[in-house]
Amino acid sequence: MIVQPRIRGFICTTAHPVGCAVQVQQQIDYVRCQPSFTNGPKKVVVVGASTGYGLASRIVSAFGSQAATIGVFFEKEADGKRTATAGWYNSIAFEKAARRENLYAKSVNGDAFSDEVKEAVVDLIKKDLDSIDLLIYSVAAPRRIDSKTGQTYKSVLKPIGKSYTNKSFNFDTNRLETITLESASEEDIRQTIAVMGGDDWKLWIDVLSQNQLLANGFMTVAYSYMGPEVTRDIYRNGTIGRAKDHLEATAHQLAQQLQTIHGRAFVSVNKALVTQSSSAIPFIPLYFIILTKIMKEKGIYEDCIQQIYRLFAQHLYSGKNIMGDSQGRIRIDNLELREDIQKEVQKIWPQITDDNIEKFTDISGYREDFLKLFGFGLPSVDYNADVDIDLKF
Ligand code: NAD
């Protein structure tokens, strides 16, 4: 099939198998060119491993530390007429590359919130690895079915206490628009915490711990986001921020719980990046394109793989004590939140109009990065060639 991008709003409904493989390989090549770290992880589970920060975590573990990896994700395979999702192709490409290097790599495709998927991972570890020394939790999901009660929770992005109005860029119409989001109800907050808070992360650690699959010195890390002043009321002080507060509190709880095996639990606060999840959030892409232009001009821009390599090399496996902020969080968003960068964002944000958006932002870089998420826009790929879309693990 000849596969071209088909964009609907903030999602591309097609993915290119060859382009996705090239993208994965580029990340592997980046890691291979970096120094390896002291006593890196050897047996790793990544929950949310097929795209974005989770995929980068799997690649850094495998190709930076020769780790055996089990990846968990929720992706769709091709169905004859439709391509598979990008994460499906990414994960197949990852597994192939890992096997070429004799690295163990297995994947579980299914709902990470379910008991069945957790049990499948427990069985795989028992059969193949005995124990694990690192679990990365990098799920970004719009909803969760509670495995105990069967209730479906929905995650929403809403402000708390008052409505929020700001400008946002609409990539469909190519124009700025003003969006107002109404204040969340208590139920919105509860459900968003249930999806994006720490409950499921803890369920994973509990089930692995009950089965005695966590090695002595085991570590677990989940990803959070802080963001700038301009999005504070909608992000960090809103419903998703509450969920991130819960995730961060869960890290402290897990750290206590893991003491008996000298284990540790952290949250890493990462920078804003174009991923399938972040491009779906209003306001954030506009902030992101302003931020990216500034960070690129100052030579400090990083993407997922650079962020996660730095997390492993400078924090988790640097051989030194892991230093968090005042609340124990690892901060790899330090460059994004640098004072000079944020001053510049605050200066530019109110000036942005439809006429000057190209000049003041990295909008073209955003479009390129968005297409790359689905394997498109890569110069080495022939997009007119017939490709097999029905790839299997
Ligand atoms: P992403 O959309 O690229 O990846 C999400 C992953 O979760 C995919 O592997 C997907 O298959 C998996 N997933 C979704 N629902 C699932 C389910 N029910 N069962 C199993 N797997 C499921 O997202 P991302 O942007 O890399 O986000 C990952 C984490 O990083 C999130 O916690 C997010 O808040 C955090 N984070 C993101 C940013 C950003 O700007 N992108 C910044 C800081 C922190």
Side-chain angles (χ1 to χ4, degrees):
M1 183 192 272
I2 291 169
V3 184
Q4 297 289 345
R6 208 176 306 145
I7 297 169
R8 301 256 181 284
F10 51 77
I11 195 82
C12 179
T13 59
T14 52
H16 199 281
V18 179
C20 288
V22 168
Q23 259 276 94
V24 169
Q25 191 58 45
Q26 284 174 352
Q27 296 192 50
I28 294 172
D29 292 344
Y30 171 80
V31 173
R32 279 224 190 89
C33 292
Q34 309 306 313
S36 52
F37 11 83
T38 327
N39 296 326
K42 288 293 165 237
K43 298 176 193 174
V44 179
V45 169
V46 180
V47 189
S50 54
T51 54
Y53 276 118
L55 174 63
S57 307
R58 194 176 189 190
I59 291 174
V60 171
S61 300
F63 294 92
S65 187
Q66 284 67 55
T69 59
I70 295 175
V72 181
F73 43 78
F74 208 9
E75 301 293 345
K76 279 205 188 100
E77 65 180 304
D79 72 356
K81 289 191 297 271
R82 276 172 156 259
T83 70
T85 51
W88 178 271
Y89 293 138
N90 290 343
S91 302
I92 289 180
F94 171 87
E95 280 201 7
K96 273 194 185 151
R99 296 226 178 86
R100 275 199 299 273
E101 306 241 329
N102 291 322
L103 294 171
Y104 174 98
K106 291 216 172 140
S107 301
V108 176
N109 185 37
D111 183 2
F113 299 127
S114 71
D115 290 343
E116 295 74 36
V117 163
K118 291 184 178 78
E119 276 157 25
V121 172
V122 163
D123 290 346
L124 259 185
I125 300 172
K126 280 186 182 164
K127 184 162 82 66
D128 296 340
L129 302 178
D130 290 331
S131 64
I132 58 164
D133 49 70
L134 175 67
L135 182 137
I136 298 284
Y137 191 85
S138 186
V139 173
R143 67 186 66 79
R144 166 180 166 209
I145 300 172
D146 189 315
S147 58
K148 305 285 175 275
T149 63
Q151 194 189 338
T152 300
Y153 308 117
K154 275 176 72 179
S155 160
V156 291
L157 177 89
K158 285 189 181 176
I160 295 174
K162 54 183 188 293
S163 65
Y164 177 85
T165 303
N166 212 330
K167 55 186 169 192
S168 187
F169 190 72
N170 183 330
F171 284 89
D172 258 352
T173 59
N174 271 326
R175 301 195 75 77
L176 287 167
E177 58 191 14
T178 300
I179 294 186
T180 297
L181 295 181
E182 294 308 325
S183 172
S185 65
E186 282 305 315
E187 187 57 15
D188 287 332
I189 300 171
R190 188 183 79 83
Q191 294 207 16
T192 305
I193 292 173
V195 181
M196 289 299 286
D199 280 351
D200 186 59
W201 182 23
K202 184 168 169 3
L203 287 174
W204 273 94
I205 300 303
D206 287 348
V207 72
L208 295 172
S209 166
Q210 281 149 17
N211 284 278
Q212 297 180 334
L213 299 176
L214 305 180
N216 195 44
F218 167 80
M219 183 150 58
T220 184
V221 183
Y223 296 144
S224 187
Y225 182 59
M226 187 63 63
E229 206 47 53
V230 279
T231 60
R232 179 122 321 151
D233 283 345
I234 189 61
Y235 192 90
R236 195 63 209 206
N237 291 346
T239 46
I240 300 274
R242 284 287 175 88
K244 292 300 185 190
D245 291 345
H246 186 270
L247 187 80
E248 291 167 14
T250 305
H252 294 298
Q253 205 184 341
L254 290 176
Q256 289 280 327
Q257 194 176 320
L258 291 168
Q259 271 179 7
T260 49
I261 56 160
H262 306 105
R264 289 166 300 168
F266 295 99
V267 153
S268 169
V269 185
N270 302 353
K271 86 179 270 280
L273 272 170
V274 187
T275 64
Q276 292 191 34
S277 304
S278 65
S279 48
I281 300 180
F283 315 109
I284 301 283
L286 178 59
Y287 162 69
F288 178 75
I289 57 180
I290 297 172
L291 173 78
T292 304
K293 174 140 169 111
I294 300 165
M295 291 186 85
K296 281 185 179 170
E297 277 170 3
K298 294 197 186 258
I300 54 167
Y301 178 79
E302 293 170 309
D303 57 21
C304 282
I305 198 72
Q306 291 165 323
Q307 277 266 290
I308 298 301
Y309 177 78
R310 184 155 73 87
L311 171 67
F312 278 51
Q314 293 183 9
H315 296 275
L316 305 182
Y317 300 101
S318 68
K320 300 188 201 116
N321 278 346
I322 298 174
M323 301 294 289
D325 64 9
S326 59
Q327 290 168 60
R329 302 171 294 207
I330 299 169
R331 302 301 296 265
I332 56 169
D333 63 341
N334 54 329
L335 299 176
E336 168 181 351
L337 294 191
R338 225 168 65 179
E339 208 183 326
D340 57 326
I341 303 287
Q342 287 304 322
K343 266 196 180 146
E344 209 43 27
V345 171
Q346 281 180 6
K347 201 172 93 196
I348 291 171
W349 182 277
Q351 297 180 50
I352 294 284
T353 62
D354 284 325
D355 297 329
N356 65 20
I357 197 156
E358 299 277 346
K359 177 173 155 225
F360 278 136
T361 73
D362 186 42
I363 193 163
S364 53
Y366 181 92
R367 289 189 202 288
E368 281 168 25
D369 286 351
F370 179 78
L371 282 175
K372 274 192 209 153
L373 294 178
F374 305 92
F376 296 108
L378 293 149
S380 63
V381 178
D382 177 2
Y383 291 101
N384 294 315
D386 202 7
V387 287
D388 179 10
I389 60 163
D390 196 18
L391 305 187
K392 303 272 185 222
F393 281 90

